[in-house]
Amino acid sequence: MLGSFLLVGSAASQSTRVPDFTDSSSVHLDEPAPTRPPRLPYLDAAAFLGEVRGAWIYDFGTPGWPDGWSPFGVDPGRVGVLLDGIPFDDPVTGRPAYELLPYDKLISLERQGIVRGRPEGVSGGLSGYLSARPVTEMVYRSTSTGLQQVSVVHAQTRASGTGQIQYLFGYAGAGARGEYDGSKLSRKRQALLRVQRVGRRFSWEIGEMFNRHRVGAQGGVQPFADFEYTSIYQRLGAAVKDADARRQLARNDLWVTARLPALGTSLKAFWTNSTLTYRIDSDTTAARVSRLGVDFTQPLIGERIELSLRGHRDSYRTGDDWRFAPSPRTELVGALNGHHSLGSGRISWSAGGMLVDLGNPDIQIGGAQIEPVFSADLEWMAGPVRPFAHSRNGVRLQSASDLYGFGETVAPVQESMQGRQAVDELGISFRPGWLHILASVAASRTTDGAERVMNADTLQVTPYSGLRTRTSATGRLGIREFSRRGLYIWTEATFSQYAGDKDAVGETAGLDLLLEESVPSLFGRAAIGIRGRMFKDDLDGDLSIRARAWTEHRGLRLNPQSGLLALPEVDSRPIDQSMVLDLVGIAHIRGATLTVSLENFLSGTVITRGNQLVPDYPYPERRLRFSVFWPIFD
């Protein structure tokens, strides 16, 4: 039988295996076998996710800033994120905290469906670092705009009875001045401790990770007086709004995991304590959330069907800067997950329910509700013709700040407006020899819920009743795209079209105009380069020019106080169509990786005066970036 199936499982069916020290061996439909994220030429997790088919990145380009990832037009602030089963969002705003992920210590970071009940999300896993020899990994990055970033991890694995025990310590720190006042990453500190024992009958793990992330929160670059708007691209003497503002996210995660390898049983309990703080002059706005959670999986029929139960309960500290007094919040997802063989391939599915209790304060928020969630994913992975299909159907919830506000900057909805969202994709990949052609269509459908809209300096959470749909069509053409030697070229373009509620009137109709232009109607990526393997394959090199381009659109604006991206005002200035070109050189030297890139090298020239992907925040121009990944054994 020609070909085989491979399904990218949903987060509800995340594997509980312990990864080893080697690079991920998973194979994606439209990419060559990936290496670990820190060995790829991306600054951080959000930039890495920008390579996902059909996804748009609200990219500041500035280290430590709250980038947004939007697959098929999904609200970037409502995407689920998991790190080894632990939700990794900001519990105050619900925003994915990509900047807090231990990016340089990940074994994998992949798009998945039904993450915490959301139809779209990301799941990452820490590397296992299981090696007979002590291992140390170091990652260093620097840029011409002042970034200095270092990440170190050391692990020792020793025999313990019939199993192994490992002690691991990791540290990461970074700072960057940014191109404009108020953009400085003044403090990024991360410490990781983990002890795990792997045995035949019983395995356990205890881990703790601390993050403190403090970054400038300026309100956007302002044009020079009596000059046109494009004067914001002049760095020297530029003025910004609220240059002294700072935003800090401090977070502590503690987890304990127990496994019974013979039965496949895995139980993880975790505790998260997270505080969001915004400071400007002598004014401080802060809110703290304490989260208790559980992640349980149990195979029922071998490894074909699995029962999973994942959820958490959030508690809020009294006296914080909420507009309304909050009460505890509960999210719990129970599901059956299937993994089946069809011929020489596999298919996976997940079906279950989500218990949601957003609390019962003195405002109009209902009690506990149960919502169905399900997904199915199918991919044909061998042979020249490879069809694929994905279907995810989940919930769209309001965050704590949506319901209770955050200081004077987030005006809550004051009622439960949870909705539903479904994302479906159907496509085919054609790979005869050196040619690669891919075509797919996708639809993201949202029913009811609420939208975040900027109103001057305030983020207003606004109800939306009805159905809205975004349809996307993606095409990709590659020539020698997966070759390890010689020239290669690939290009990918996505066309996006929005349709709101035909019967909408008043405020809802106004939201449709903003939602339609929140994503470019046409955007794409491309690369042309040359690869080579030299010195008896000890050196694996790749030199390329990479491009990103987009058409005019309004995009999403930043609310600096909360870090959320929201729809702009109706009369806001659109983002001009533009293009970013990067020159990237990568050298894999045995186990080490060296990357040098000149990013956005046409910006600030007569060809391109400047560009931006988030309104009023220019993308860095002509930035030189250097990074090295270096593992050391013994």
Side-chain angles (χ1 to χ4, degrees):
M1 180 177 180
L2 184 63
S4 61
F5 282 104
L6 174 66
L7 182 73
V8 180
S10 70
S13 57
Q14 182 184 6
S15 173
T16 58
R17 69 178 177 85
V18 178
D20 59 20
F21 180 64
T22 61
D23 285 336
S24 172
S25 60
S26 61
V27 178
H28 292 255
L29 178 66
D30 53 4
E31 301 174 70
T35 55
R36 289 181 54 204
R39 302 190 68 181
L40 298 176
Y42 306 113
L43 180 64
D44 50 28
F48 174 87
L49 293 171
E51 298 298 306
V52 173
R53 179 179 60 251
W56 174 249
I57 290 288
Y58 298 92
D59 190 359
F60 293 91
T62 304
W65 275 63
D67 297 330
W69 176 67
S70 173
F72 303 122
V74 172
D75 185 340
R78 304 183 193 275
V79 173
V81 179
L82 292 175
L83 176 65
D84 285 331
I86 299 176
F88 230 77
D89 60 335
D90 170 12
V92 174
T93 64
R95 177 184 67 84
Y98 301 118
E99 67 272 26
L100 299 188
L101 286 172
Y103 180 71
D104 295 322
K105 302 173 183 66
L106 297 179
I107 190 70
S108 62
L109 185 64
E110 297 181 344
R111 172 193 171 201
Q112 290 191 350
I114 310 300
V115 177
R116 300 174 55 215
R118 283 73 171 169
E120 286 289 344
V122 179
S123 181
L126 288 169
S127 176
Y129 296 105
L130 293 177
S131 171
R133 297 181 292 168
V135 58
T136 301
E137 261 186 17
M138 296 185 292
V139 180
Y140 172 75
R141 293 186 182 88
S142 66
T143 70
S144 57
T145 56
L147 172 67
Q148 298 291 326
Q149 180 178 355
V150 63
S151 173
V152 180
V153 63
H154 178 76
Q156 292 193 15
T157 305
R158 301 175 180 178
S160 175
T162 59
Q164 294 178 314
I165 190 168
Q166 181 196 80
Y167 304 93
L168 179 146
F169 171 75
Y171 172 82
R177 67 172 183 268
E179 291 188 306
Y180 293 88
D181 290 342
S183 302
K184 182 179 180 180
L185 174 60
S186 56
R187 173 169 293 184
K188 177 181 174 65
R189 300 290 184 269
Q190 183 181 85
L192 170 66
L193 295 170
R194 188 179 72 184
V195 180
Q196 61 176 333
R197 186 187 186 279
V198 179
R200 295 179 180 178
R201 297 182 179 180
F202 182 70
S203 299
W204 55 265
E205 176 182 315
I206 300 175
E208 200 273 343
M209 184 163 61
F210 171 77
N211 276 285
R212 176 168 292 173
H213 188 92
R214 185 184 304 160
V215 68
Q218 51 104 340
V221 183
Q222 299 174 327
F224 286 89
D226 302 323
F227 283 81
E228 60 185 7
Y229 178 79
T230 53
S231 65
I232 69 169
Y233 300 120
Q234 173 60 48
R235 271 69 175 173
L236 184 62
V240 301
K241 184 178 180 180
D242 298 332
D244 295 329
R246 300 290 183 269
R247 186 178 59 255
Q248 176 175 289
L249 190 56
R251 176 178 173 127
N252 197 55
D253 292 277
L254 175 67
W255 65 92
V256 178
T257 305
R259 299 185 181 93
L260 297 176
L263 299 177
T265 306
S266 175
L267 175 64
K268 171 178 286 187
F270 59 88
W271 170 78
T272 299
N273 192 57
S274 181
T275 303
L276 174 65
T277 305
Y278 173 79
R279 291 188 176 93
I280 181 169
D281 300 327
S282 60
D283 295 331
T284 300
T285 303
R288 178 183 294 177
V289 179
S290 181
R291 172 176 290 172
L292 287 173
V294 64
D295 183 344
F296 171 78
T297 57
Q298 175 62 60
L300 299 180
I301 305 176
E303 295 185 355
R304 295 183 178 182
I305 297 181
E306 174 188 83
L307 172 67
S308 65
L309 186 67
R310 296 182 170 97
H312 60 266
R313 181 175 176 84
D314 291 350
S315 301
Y316 307 99
R317 185 176 62 177
T318 58
D320 282 345
D321 295 305
W322 308 100
R323 287 200 180 189
F324 301 94
S327 61
R329 172 194 187 105
T330 301
E331 297 182 19
L332 183 65
V333 179
L336 285 176
N337 315 296
H339 309 270
H340 307 285
S341 297
L342 292 176
S344 59
R346 297 177 299 174
I347 182 173
S348 297
W349 53 267
S350 176
M354 181 175 188
L355 172 67
V356 182
D357 187 350
L358 301 182
N360 258 321
D362 296 330
I363 56 178
Q364 301 175 28
I365 299 179
Q369 301 181 46
I370 296 180
E371 294 283 343
V373 292
F374 51 89
S375 69
D377 301 89
L378 179 66
E379 294 185 3
W380 187 274
M381 290 300 296
V385 180
R386 311 180 184 188
F388 57 93
H390 307 282
S391 181
R392 292 93 184 258
N393 196 304
V395 297
R396 195 172 193 266
L397 303 178
Q398 282 79 62
S399 67
S401 62
D402 289 339
L403 297 171
Y404 310 118
F406 179 63
E408 299 300 319
T409 64
V410 178
V413 69
Q414 301 185 47
E415 60 179 311
S416 178
M417 284 295 297
Q418 64 193 55
R420 294 198 60 83
Q421 190 163 43
V423 179
D424 301 302
E425 184 187 18
L426 181 65
I428 189 169
S429 175
F430 183 53
R431 292 176 58 175
W434 49 264
L435 182 65
H436 177 210
I437 300 174
L438 181 144
S440 73
V441 292
S444 172
R445 304 183 309 280
T446 305
T447 305
D448 299 333
E451 301 291 347
R452 299 166 178 144
V453 186
M454 292 301 298
N455 182 7
D457 293 332
T458 300
L459 187 154
Q460 177 70 54
V461 183
T462 304
Y464 186 112
S465 298
L467 173 68
R468 55 255 198 226
T469 303
R470 182 173 294 279
T471 305
S472 303
T474 299
R476 185 180 181 108
L477 173 64
I479 299 175
R480 305 190 76 249
E481 181 179 354
F482 308 111
S483 65
R484 303 301 298 272
R485 290 185 173 89
L487 292 169
Y488 69 91
I489 183 173
W490 61 262
T491 181
E492 179 181 292
T494 298
F495 172 75
S496 179
Q497 185 175 21
Y498 175 84
D501 188 345
K502 295 184 293 184
D503 300 323
V505 296
E507 192 172 29
T508 297
L511 289 175
D512 281 334
L513 296 175
L514 302 175
L515 288 165
E516 181 177 8
E517 296 192 53
S518 62
V519 174
S521 59
L522 181 63
F523 59 92
R525 302 176 292 122
I528 181 171
I530 184 171
R531 298 188 183 106
R533 307 185 73 174
M534 297 167 281
F535 307 113
K536 298 182 179 180
D537 291 342
D538 284 343
L539 173 62
D540 190 345
D542 185 338
L543 179 64
S544 64
I545 293 179
R546 305 185 179 200
R548 288 183 289 165
W550 59 89
T551 56
E552 181 179 288
H553 63 292
R554 294 185 186 274
L556 298 179
R557 298 191 70 88
L558 175 69
N559 176 247
Q561 294 83 354
S562 64
L564 286 169
L565 294 166
L567 296 170
E569 297 173 285
V570 175
D571 58 352
S572 62
R573 175 188 171 86
I575 297 174
D576 295 329
Q577 66 178 19
S578 190
M579 177 174 61
V580 170
L581 286 178
D582 303 329
L583 177 63
V584 181
I586 309 169
H588 299 292
I589 307 171
R590 295 189 176 180
T593 299
L594 177 69
T595 302
V596 180
S597 58
L598 180 61
E599 300 167 338
N600 202 14
F601 61 79
L602 287 184
S603 181
T605 68
V606 294
I607 298 176
T608 304
R609 186 167 182 181
N611 40 38
Q612 55 186 289
L613 292 96
V614 179
D616 301 336
Y617 293 91
Y619 197 76
E621 67 176 20
R622 299 195 304 278
R623 179 174 65 188
L624 182 64
R625 180 161 58 90
F626 168 82
S627 67
V628 60
F629 169 92
W630 188 16
I632 303 172
F633 291 89
D634 295 329

